[in-house]
Amino acid sequence: MDSGARKHILITFGRSFLTLNLARWLAAAGHRVSTCDSLPITVSRYSNAVSSFHRVSPPKFKPQEYCREVAELVKSEGIDMVIPIHEETDIISMMAGLFPSTCELFLSPFEVEDMLHNKFSYQEALVERGFQTLKFAKIASAEDLPKLDFDTPFAVKQTYSRGSQQVYKVQPGDSLDFLTYDPTNPWIAQEWLEAGDRYCTYSVCRDGEVFAHATYPVSYAIDGNSCLTFEHVDHPEILEWVQRFAKSVNFTGHMGLDFFDHPVRGLYTIECNPRATSGIMMFTRENRVDRAFFGENTDVISPTPGRVTMIGVGMALYGWRKNAKPRNNFRTFWRDFRAAHDVIYDPQDRKPAAMLIPAYAAILTHGYKYKVGLAEAFMHDHEWDGHKI
C-alpha cells in the first residue's frame, strides 16, 4: 500500500467500543471504514465514521465460515487492510492463506500470536529473551499439583482466558481439587504480587517497532480486572520494556500488557494480550493514531496526558461499587464520573450513544442464548481458547 493514501479498512468485532473509537480516528484521517460482527445491532454500525456494516458468523463457533466470509468481504468490498480487535485475531491468523495478497492483515503469524496469547508460553518467551518473570508453573493435570512449590500466595488461571473469567487466589497448601482439565487449555500457577503499582499498556506495532503507545494505571475496574477509566501517564521504563520486547518477537499488531511495578524488584508483566485493548480509546482525532497502523510516524504517538476517558455505561453499572477501586465511595466516584470523557458519546458522532440500549439488548439476548452474564456475553463468541482449526 502507498504511504499516506486513502485506504478501505475493515475492523472486526463491531460491537466493541474499541472498534467504534478506532473507526472514528481512521475516518477522521480520511480512510473509508467498514465493520463486521456476528450480532445484528452494534454501536459502530450506526457511527457516521462507518461506511458499511456486515454480519458474519460467530468466529468461536464457526471459525472456518467466519474467515471465509471475512475474506469474501475483502474481495467484494475492495478492503486494503483488516484490523482484528478481539481474539478472532488468532483465528484469522490461522487462516491467513484465505486472504488475497492485496490486503494486509494487521497481525503477526499465528505462531507468534498464539505464543503471546497463551499465558504459559508467554512467560517462557520472557525467560528465553532475558526478561525477569514472576514464578510460574503449568498445571496440565492433577498429577502436576504435588509438584507446585510456591511458598507465597499465587494465582491460578487457564492459559487461554481473559479478564472477565475467573482467577483464583491460592494460599500455599490450599486444595486445588476443584480444577477441571482441558488438554488444549491447561492452567498456569503464577506468583501473586501484593506490593507495587499496577499499569496496563496498549501499543500499535509494525515489524517489531512501536509506533503508538499508551500506559495507564489501574483505577476504576470491574472486580479489579477490567478497567473502566483510562488516563495516560508517562512511564519511560515501561515504554522501553515494550519496545525491547516487541522487537524481540518482531511483532506486528496491537499489544496490550499488564504490568506490576514493584518498589524493590522492578517491572513484571502478568500477561500479554496480542490484540486491541482499552488503551485505544484514550486517543483523540488530534493524536492521529491512524498513522501508526501504517508505520508513517517517526516519533511514538501517545494520548494527551491528564485527559481521563471512561466507559460511561460501565462506570454507571460498576464504578460506584466498593470493589471497583481501593477506598472507593460514592462522593469520589461521582466527582470522577463527571470529570471523565465518555468513550461512546461524541458530539461529532451521536448515533452510537443513542443506540446503546438496543445494542446492549442484543448482547443480553446473546448472553441468554449461551447462558453467560453480561460481561462475558460481550465477547463470548469472539473468544479463542487454544483449539486448532
Side-chain angles (χ1 to χ4, degrees):
M1 283 182 271
D2 297 330
S3 176
R6 174 184 165 95
K7 314 293 196 304
H8 188 181
I9 302 165
L10 175 65
I11 311 176
T12 65
F13 203 39
R15 76 191 71 170
S16 174
F17 306 148
L18 283 64
T19 298
L20 172 63
N21 280 260
L22 179 55
R24 287 167 169 167
W25 313 157
L26 291 169
H31 300 291
R32 181 183 173 194
V33 179
S34 295
T35 63
C36 64
D37 200 292
S38 62
L39 292 180
I41 302 175
T42 71
V43 286
S44 68
R45 178 174 184 170
Y46 302 96
S47 169
N48 59 28
V50 174
S51 64
S52 63
F53 168 82
H54 306 273
R55 193 175 182 188
V56 292
S57 297
K60 179 176 181 176
F61 302 110
K62 295 182 178 180
Q64 295 184 4
E65 292 91 332
Y66 173 81
C67 288
R68 290 192 182 100
E69 290 163 7
V70 175
E72 282 302 314
L73 285 175
V74 166
K75 297 171 187 175
S76 64
E77 299 293 316
I79 303 295
D80 297 304
M81 175 185 278
V82 175
I83 302 180
I85 293 297
H86 195 48
E87 293 177 8
E88 68 276 7
T89 303
D90 301 85
I91 295 169
I92 292 174
S93 68
M94 262 189 286
M95 303 186 71
L98 291 174
F99 293 81
S101 59
T102 54
C103 175
E104 180 178 1
L105 302 179
F106 190 69
L107 45 71
S108 291
F110 173 70
E111 294 73 19
V112 176
E113 295 284 351
D114 185 37
M115 177 265 289
L116 298 177
H117 184 174
N118 183 303
K119 293 174 173 53
F120 183 79
S121 62
Y122 170 60
Q123 296 298 321
E124 289 186 312
L126 293 178
V127 172
E128 291 170 3
R129 289 162 176 78
F131 292 85
Q132 68 173 359
T133 67
L134 299 172
K135 186 176 182 178
F136 66 99
K138 182 189 286 187
I139 309 173
S141 69
E143 296 177 357
D144 294 325
L145 297 178
K147 303 173 188 176
L148 298 178
D149 61 348
F150 290 85
D151 53 13
T152 59
F154 59 98
V156 174
K157 53 193 171 183
Q158 287 189 288
T159 55
Y160 295 101
S161 60
R162 51 221 52 90
S164 65
Q165 297 181 343
Q166 188 63 56
V167 177
Y168 300 102
K169 183 179 180 181
V170 181
Q171 300 292 334
D174 284 356
S175 172
L176 292 173
D177 291 343
F178 62 89
L179 296 181
T180 58
Y181 300 96
D182 177 348
T184 63
N185 191 8
W187 299 84
I188 178 174
Q190 187 177 42
E191 179 185 357
W192 187 291
L193 276 186
E194 297 286 359
D197 297 321
R198 294 175 60 196
Y199 296 94
C200 296
T201 65
Y202 168 77
S203 305
V204 179
C205 308
R206 287 184 66 95
D207 302 319
E209 298 294 326
V210 176
F211 286 89
H213 175 81
T215 298
Y216 49 105
V218 176
S219 181
Y220 288 94
I222 302 174
D223 296 328
N225 293 315
S226 300
C227 290
L228 296 168
T229 60
F230 318 94
E231 179 182 5
H232 173 68
V233 296
D234 188 30
H235 197 307
E237 293 81 9
I238 286 181
L239 174 58
E240 188 276 334
W241 194 106
V242 174
Q243 290 172 320
R244 190 158 53 98
F245 182 70
K247 185 175 289 293
S248 76
V249 296
N250 195 33
F251 186 72
T252 294
H254 317 265
M255 180 184 289
L257 294 158
D258 295 336
F259 279 93
F260 254 104
D261 191 353
H262 192 276
V264 176
R265 297 165 59 181
L267 285 176
Y268 292 90
T269 63
I270 309 301
E271 59 189 46
C272 176
N273 298 306
R275 56 186 180 274
T277 65
S278 299
I280 188 65
M281 298 187 292
M282 299 163 61
F283 293 89
T284 65
R285 292 175 176 85
E286 292 71 29
N287 295 138
R288 288 295 311 277
V289 71
D290 59 280
R291 294 174 295 160
F293 289 88
F294 305 103
E296 295 174 349
N297 51 296
T298 53
D299 295 328
V300 175
I301 301 168
S302 292
T304 305
R307 184 178 187 273
V308 181
T309 57
M310 69 172 177
I311 302 174
V313 65
M315 278 287 280
L317 290 171
Y318 301 100
W320 51 270
R321 304 182 186 191
K322 287 192 176 297
N323 64 353
K325 182 182 179 182
R327 298 177 297 279
N328 195 24
N329 60 64
F330 191 81
R331 177 178 292 181
T332 57
F333 158 75
W334 184 241
R335 178 200 64 200
D336 295 340
F337 183 87
R338 294 180 65 188
H341 299 266
D342 184 28
V343 299
I344 305 302
Y345 178 75
D346 185 332
Q348 299 181 47
D349 188 26
R350 298 173 184 269
K351 286 184 180 179
M355 292 301 295
L356 266 179
I357 291 177
Y360 264 83
I363 294 170
L364 284 168
T365 302
H366 177 74
Y368 179 79
K369 175 181 177 181
Y370 292 110
K371 296 180 173 58
V372 296
L374 175 62
E376 190 170 355
F378 194 85
M379 59 188 72
H380 183 65
D381 66 348
H382 279 63
E383 296 172 352
W384 184 73
D385 289 337
H387 297 86
K388 303 297 190 291
I389 300 172

